[in-house]
Every structure is written in C-alpha cells, then in structure tokens.
Amino acid sequence: MVDLTCRELIEFLGEYFEGGLPSENRAVFEAHIGICPPCKAYLENYRDTVDLVSGACEDLEASVPEEVPEALVQAILKARKAASRP
Amino acid sequence: MTDSTSAASQTQAEKVFVEALRKGDEAAYERLVRTYVGPLQSVARRYLRNEEDARDVVQDAFASVVRSIDRFEGESKLSTWLHRIVVNAALMKLRTQRRKPEESIDDLLPGFLEDGHQREPASEWAQSASRALERKEIRERVRDSIGQLPEGYRMVLMLRDMDGYDTDQTAELLGIQRGAVKTRLHRARQALRGLLDPHMRDEVA
C-alpha cells in the first residue's frame, strides 16, 4: 500500500477499525487521514455509528419489572405445567 | 458474546437459583420468567419485527430452558445464556420464513468520483454519539434506520455491534464464513452512517 484514494481508504476502514490492518498499511492509512478532512470526518462518523448502534436499544432491554408482559408470562407458565403433566 | 464476568464469577446466588431450576422448582421458574421475559421479548422483537413471532420465540426459548438447564455449566452468566437461546431461536425462525432473495445494499453505500474522492464529502457530525443517545428521538431514528437495512446486513450489525457477539460467534450463529461477516458488517455500518448523516449533521435533528 503506497498511497490511498478516499475510496480505498473507506474500503479498508472496517479492517482498520477492528485493528486488523498490518502496521505498515496502518501508517499509510493514518497519513491519508491526517491530510484529508472528509476521510477524517468519515472515520469519526463511522465510529459514532458503531456507538449509536450499541446504545440504541439499551433503554428497551433494561429489566423493568413493572413492564412485565403478564399475558406472555402466564402463557409460558401454563405451557410448562402442561409439559410437566404425566 | 463476550462475558467479562464469566466462569469464576458466577455468583453464589445464581448457582443456588440454577440448582432450584434444575430441581424443577416452580417458584424459581416463575421468577426466571418474570425477570427475563421483558428484556428477551425486546431482543426477539429486534430480530423478528413481528409481535406474534417474537412472542412465539420467547415462549419456545423458555421451554428450551426447561429442557436444557442441566447443560448450563455456568461458563457465562444466566442472562447471557438466555440471550443466546433467544437469538438462536429468532434466527432459526427467520431461516424458516425466508422466501425472497437478499436485497442489495449498494444504493445505501457511499459514492465516489472517478478520481476516487468521496462524491458527497463527509463532514463532522454536530453531536457526539453519547450526547445523541440521550435523546429518545435519536434512539428511535437509529432503530428505524437499522430496520431499513437488508436483512442479511441487519442481522450481522445487530449481532456484532448491538449484542456484542464476536466475528466467530456471529459466523456460527448465521452459518456463514468469517469473511462474509466482516464484509457485511462494514457495509452495514457504512449504509447506516449514510442514513443517519442528515440527522446527525443537524444539531436539532
């Protein structure tokens, strides 16, 4: 990897982000980021996107006892009793 | 899914609880259901996007817990184990339903000029992810945008970036190669970046 276009940099971005780029290629990648504001912005947007995905459902999946779906609980308990009958 | 509090730190209380489940203690089972049914239903909804299917999957998952609790060895937390059972059941359900060919993601990927420059040069977003996530409308926007991704990409993105499964685990859960996981993940993130860009550039979104 001698030099990169923006297109090539964005192709390699996934590997870079996951720490999978060999050090020599990483240096070329980072040199491009250093002189190309749109690619620097793209990298930051990409990182933020990953963080947004990670946090987007946390509020829905926290355990909230008062929101237990009672009908589903009863269906599950009933199914278990039916299955355990001889 | 990485579980930093694995094997060694399974709490004594959880061991006692799991033992009660193994013995068929009905009160313990009801407590298990009441504790986890809400969060697991949310997980199932994310994968299936159909209320009835999500309910079926959660119900099947709890039935599976009864059958397989003897095989739970405490290598992960109980919640992690339950999460994987539900994800597996949801993916299985999707496999049985899949009828139409995979949609293309190409229209959602960034465009480039002939000289390799970005067709629409990216610019900084007005707010950080952590700041944006404080707002309900942004969280909903992110979830809606994830919902616009073709299914094969949406699954990889959720398994890797939302549920914390690693590349190998994701490949195993989906029955695809590691390389395909990496490629789909990168494309899914790029597509999502493009969908969120107009909202994240704008401070008031």
Side-chain angles (χ1 to χ4, degrees):
Chain A
M1 210 191 287
V2 180
D3 197 6
L4 287 175
T5 63
C6 301
R7 177 181 206 137
E8 288 165 336
L9 180 126
I10 288 172
E11 275 171 25
F12 284 115
L13 182 54
E15 281 293 316
Y16 174 78
F17 190 79
E18 300 293 326
L21 273 191
S23 58
E24 188 187 321
N25 293 358
R26 200 166 61 238
V28 177
F29 187 100
E30 285 169 354
H32 181 114
I33 291 285
I35 57 165
C36 181
C39 283
K40 181 169 182 284
Y42 197 97
L43 170 64
E44 285 165 4
N45 294 171
Y46 188 94
R47 187 175 285 135
D48 277 336
T49 300
V50 175
D51 290 343
L52 287 169
V53 174
S54 160
C57 285
E58 280 177 0
D59 55 329
L60 300 181
E61 288 166 24
S63 187
V64 186
E66 59 269 30
E67 289 183 11
V68 168
E70 193 57 37
L72 182 54
V73 169
Q74 292 306 325
I76 293 166
L77 296 177
K78 196 173 159 191
R80 193 218 169 175
K81 279 186 181 144
S84 61
R85 259 182 228 129
Chain B
M1 195 178 193
T2 52
D3 187 352
S4 56
T5 51
S6 58
S9 65
Q10 188 193 14
T11 64
Q12 189 58 30
E14 188 160 295
K15 280 183 186 164
V16 171
F17 184 52
V18 168
E19 201 44 49
L21 291 170
R22 286 195 177 122
K23 287 178 180 159
D25 182 328
E26 284 190 19
Y29 185 69
E30 180 163 349
R31 186 149 71 88
L32 178 86
V33 173
R34 288 189 181 279
T35 304
Y36 294 107
V37 71
L40 293 179
Q41 192 178 23
S42 295
V43 172
R45 276 186 191 129
R46 266 201 284 121
Y47 282 87
L48 295 162
R49 297 191 295 179
N50 172 302
E51 195 58 32
E52 199 176 326
D53 287 347
R55 284 173 53 98
D56 287 350
V57 156
V58 171
Q59 206 164 332
D60 290 350
F62 278 106
S64 161
V65 166
V66 173
R67 290 193 302 273
S68 56
I69 190 71
D70 284 339
R71 294 201 296 274
F72 175 67
E73 293 170 347
E75 287 172 2
S76 61
K77 288 200 295 185
L78 187 59
S79 56
T80 306
W81 185 67
L82 292 169
H83 187 282
R84 183 151 182 160
I85 288 176
V86 167
V87 168
N88 248 325
L91 294 175
M92 192 70 78
K93 185 120 193 154
L94 280 172
R95 267 183 218 123
T96 62
Q97 291 174 341
R98 199 170 290 153
R99 292 286 180 272
K100 52 185 181 182
E102 177 84 335
E103 300 160 67
S104 168
I105 199 169
D106 292 355
D107 290 346
L108 298 174
L109 296 179
F112 297 92
L113 303 172
E114 277 187 20
D115 63 3
H117 284 94
Q118 298 179 39
R119 185 177 299 280
E120 293 172 28
S123 62
E124 276 184 40
W125 284 350
Q127 48 197 333
S128 68
S130 58
R131 189 73 180 273
L133 282 168
E134 290 170 8
R135 295 164 54 193
K136 187 166 180 255
E137 68 268 27
I138 291 285
R139 296 195 298 273
E140 285 173 354
R141 171 76 62 188
V142 175
R143 294 197 289 263
D144 286 351
S145 300
I146 293 170
Q148 291 176 45
L149 302 178
E151 188 180 290
Y153 295 88
R154 190 169 64 86
M155 293 298 123
V156 170
L157 185 82
M158 287 201 300
L159 288 166
R160 287 284 280 103
D161 286 345
M162 199 174 268
D163 290 327
Y165 291 100
D166 66 23
T167 301
D168 288 333
Q169 290 168 326
T170 303
E172 188 191 334
L173 280 162
L174 293 174
I176 60 177
Q177 300 291 318
R178 291 183 86 249
V181 170
K182 289 182 175 185
T183 304
R184 287 191 198 184
L185 178 64
H186 182 43
R187 288 186 185 158
R189 287 170 173 171
Q190 289 181 84
L192 191 61
R193 188 213 75 89
L195 289 168
L196 295 174
D197 186 51
H199 311 286
M200 292 295 290
R201 280 184 191 218
D202 179 0
E203 186 72 58
V204 291

